[in-house]
Amino acid sequence: MEGTVPADAGDRKRPQPALLLVDDDTEVLAAARRELRRWYGDHYRVLCRRSAQDALAALREMRREGQPVAVVLSDVWMEEMSGSEFLARVRRIHPHARRALMIDWGAWGHRRTADALVQAMALGHIDYYVLKPAREPDELFHRTIAEFVHEWTRLESAAPSEVTLVADHWSPRASELRNLLARTGVPHSFHTPGSEEGRQALIEAGRPEGRGPVVTLWDGQVLDDPSNAELASAYGVETALGEEVDYDVVIVGGGPAGLSAAVYASSEGMRTLVVERETIGGQASSSSLIRNYLGFPRGLSGAELAQRAYQQAWIFGTRFLMMREATGVREEDGRLAVELSGGEQVSAGAVVLATGVSYRRIGIASLEALTGAGVFYGASVAEAKGVAGLPVYVVGGGNSAGQAALHLAESAERVTMLVRGDSLARDMSRYLCREIEAAENIEVRLGSEVRDGEGEGRLERLLVRDCGTGEEEWVDAGALFILIGAHPHTDWLPETVERDGGGYVVCGPEAAECGRWPLDRPPMAFETTLPGVFAVGDVQAGAVKRVASAVGQGSVVIGQVHAREREAGRSAVGLPENH
């Protein structure tokens, strides 16, 4: 389901995107230019400048003319300014362009260069670095550039989309549909009914007077204000159970923990079903950039991580049932019966709970009424583009709030973080704190909270209170993004599954100590008080609430599922062990 999420793609012809090289060494510049023109010359403009000031002037001119810029590469050390300083300025002119420092192969041993790279990454001035081409062709150089181009294309592609959505810009329903498409990775374009592209799309759909939401698909389907399930089914996601109802393991939840469990279970031959109430990725899919996930030094979005994991599980044979909820689980004839919304039921040898958490609501009636119309929970790519040039507020002081603020700052006029505590460092990773401190258009207001909001059809103003002095002020606000913690999806579980005071599932030693464990053997590390039912990820009591931790637990739990199968006298594929 991987795809780009262009927000303004249309049929009109647009200028070729630019790849810009800046280096005062003419030989390096010539070599890099030859390499890029050979690979990208048919579809991209390859531009070279020997001066950082000349390059900045060219970038400003391209912005005025609407010329897209995909990648900017700069030498680390230049006479007028450092490459890091130059690329920091590039970010303000073309915020979505991928930016990288070019270094010599021999620079690895230079402490000064290494320190410059680390600092530039920490401050968000660059996306990564690239080694200057050392031979022709230089495959390592091209691999890095290709990844940069792909990342930029995911946001800016003007290619025809699989799905076109026409709706009012601040419609809550349109926001929900855009978020669904973005998180699922479906290439789509969004237009308002009053735009030239929107009017043309409505005419082609046979809805010339429509206001939306109207959705058209690549195969000619036209959907009028579809439900989430109808839209998902239209672009090929399974929302019906089908004939197979017996599985070795049923995984409830399609976030990082559930997807990891699915990959390991299905790759080891287990018949695996993932039941997901919305779409893949869980809360992590709203993270615009995860920088500290092992093996991805440039970082990746939560949605991209989820899409890759979905593809990996699917190719191993995992079945996915989307837009459906698990409503109950119980023991039945030595197996576990999982009840589904719609009255259906599946049978499993083991059940893995990976239901994660939902964003905690702010509980202010005026703001809840504007949800999707300027007030958002989380911050996906879809909403970020809609706040270009507007003053934006982010409520929260954790990693998700920090990632959202940095992502929104690429488009918004200004981002203000409202944090009730007295420090960002208490709940936020240090690398994010440093990037936020370095961002010129992000302001952090500590000891502050939102008290009210208002607007005609969409959010226009917020009432902000200083928790220390009690003073309140109304401020203009184009959008409010709320990331203030979460609560677990566990209300549907039976009483036999013990939970703590916050609703999180108790596992392992804690399950044994609570007095509800029914067997002579102790529960396994991720096993709940209902034997054969396991819990991983954020839904688990005491969870670390990190993507890497959730992925690790999802892989480890399958070993415990195998042990459960052996205990029940079944093999890993549900057959007798002596089969």
Side-chain angles (χ1 to χ4, degrees), residues 120-280:
M121 284 288 291
L123 297 178
H125 293 169
I126 66 174
D127 294 297
Y128 204 49
Y129 66 89
V130 59
L131 294 170
K132 295 178 181 180
R135 56 182 178 271
E136 295 186 15
D138 190 319
E139 303 297 349
L140 179 59
F141 176 78
H142 287 298
R143 174 183 173 181
T144 308
I145 300 302
E147 290 175 351
F148 284 144
V149 170
H150 174 67
E151 291 165 5
W152 177 81
T153 303
R154 287 175 59 84
L155 292 173
E156 297 291 332
S157 175
S161 302
E162 293 185 6
V163 176
T164 299
L165 169 63
V166 181
D168 290 330
H169 185 84
W170 296 107
S171 160
R173 182 64 189 136
S175 174
E176 187 175 357
L177 293 173
R178 292 175 68 191
N179 190 40
L180 173 64
L181 291 166
R183 290 174 60 189
T184 312
V186 175
H188 68 279
S189 57
F190 172 71
H191 308 294
T192 61
S195 68
E196 179 183 347
E197 296 91 343
R199 287 192 296 269
Q200 184 61 37
L202 289 173
I203 291 172
E204 292 176 358
R207 309 288 193 276
E209 304 301 323
R211 295 291 304 169
V214 174
V215 178
T216 59
L217 287 87
W218 68 95
D219 60 0
Q221 291 186 76
V222 178
L223 306 177
D224 294 291
D225 193 12
S227 67
N228 288 3
E230 288 171 339
L231 178 56
S233 179
Y235 57 70
V237 170
E238 289 187 85
T239 59
L241 181 60
E243 296 182 1
E244 187 173 4
V245 295
D246 292 309
Y247 292 89
D248 296 313
V249 58
V250 170
I251 300 165
V252 185
L259 290 168
S260 174
V263 167
Y264 280 87
S266 56
S267 69
E268 294 175 16
M270 304 184 81
R271 294 171 300 178
T272 306
L273 174 69
V274 174
V275 180
E276 168 54 49
R277 64 197 295 265
E278 293 178 347
T279 188
I280 59 168

Side-chain angles (χ1 to χ4, degrees), residues 286-304:
S286 294
S287 293
S288 56
L289 185 66
I290 303 170
R291 275 273 308 278
N292 57 356
Y293 190 73
L294 184 67
F296 291 87
R298 292 201 306 280
L300 78 168
S301 70
E304 184 177 4

Side-chain angles (χ1 to χ4, degrees), residues 205-441:
R207 309 288 193 276
E209 304 301 323
R211 295 291 304 169
V214 174
V215 178
T216 59
L217 287 87
W218 68 95
D219 60 0
Q221 291 186 76
V222 178
L223 306 177
D224 294 291
D225 193 12
S227 67
N228 288 3
E230 288 171 339
L231 178 56
S233 179
Y235 57 70
V237 170
E238 289 187 85
T239 59
L241 181 60
E243 296 182 1
E244 187 173 4
V245 295
D246 292 309
Y247 292 89
D248 296 313
V249 58
V250 170
I251 300 165
V252 185
L259 290 168
S260 174
V263 167
Y264 280 87
S266 56
S267 69
E268 294 175 16
M270 304 184 81
R271 294 171 300 178
T272 306
L273 174 69
V274 174
V275 180
E276 168 54 49
R277 64 197 295 265
E278 293 178 347
T279 188
I280 59 168
Q283 188 177 355
S285 66
S286 294
S287 293
S288 56
L289 185 66
I290 303 170
R291 275 273 308 278
N292 57 356
Y293 190 73
L294 184 67
F296 291 87
R298 292 201 306 280
L300 78 168
S301 70
E304 184 177 4
L305 175 64
Q307 290 155 20
R308 292 184 180 203
Y310 166 86
Q311 293 164 355
Q312 196 171 10
W314 181 84
I315 205 68
F316 278 129
T318 298
R319 280 282 314 282
F320 286 86
L321 183 61
M322 312 294 277
M323 308 293 169
R324 299 287 292 278
E325 294 189 65
T327 58
V329 59
R330 68 182 187 279
E331 291 183 287
E332 186 177 89
D333 299 329
R335 288 172 64 81
L336 293 161
V338 181
E339 300 165 10
L340 305 173
S341 55
E344 295 174 300
Q345 177 177 299
V346 294
S347 175
V351 172
V352 175
L353 305 176
T355 48
V357 294
S358 290
Y359 288 111
R360 197 175 300 281
R361 312 297 290 190
I362 199 166
I364 299 173
S366 59
L367 295 177
E368 295 292 354
L370 293 170
T371 299
V375 177
F376 307 98
Y377 286 89
S380 77
V381 172
E383 286 98 11
K385 282 205 164 186
V387 300
L390 299 176
V392 170
Y393 286 76
V394 174
V395 177
N399 279 355
S400 294
Q403 291 164 349
L406 288 166
H407 180 56
L408 294 165
E410 294 183 356
S411 301
E413 175 191 46
R414 186 165 191 82
V415 176
T416 303
M417 297 186 68
L418 302 177
V419 183
R420 296 190 66 179
D422 58 4
S423 170
L424 276 183
R426 185 176 62 185
D427 298 313
M428 188 179 295
S429 296
R430 180 57 186 158
Y431 81 89
L432 282 173
C433 292
R434 291 182 66 185
E435 287 195 42
I436 288 169
E437 291 168 2
E440 294 185 355
N441 64 334

Side-chain angles (χ1 to χ4, degrees), residues 21-37:
L21 303 166
V22 186
D23 198 316
D24 51 17
D25 186 323
T26 56
E27 291 186 6
V28 170
L29 204 61
R33 178 173 53 195
R34 283 195 303 271
E35 290 292 291
L36 291 180
R37 283 183 173 173

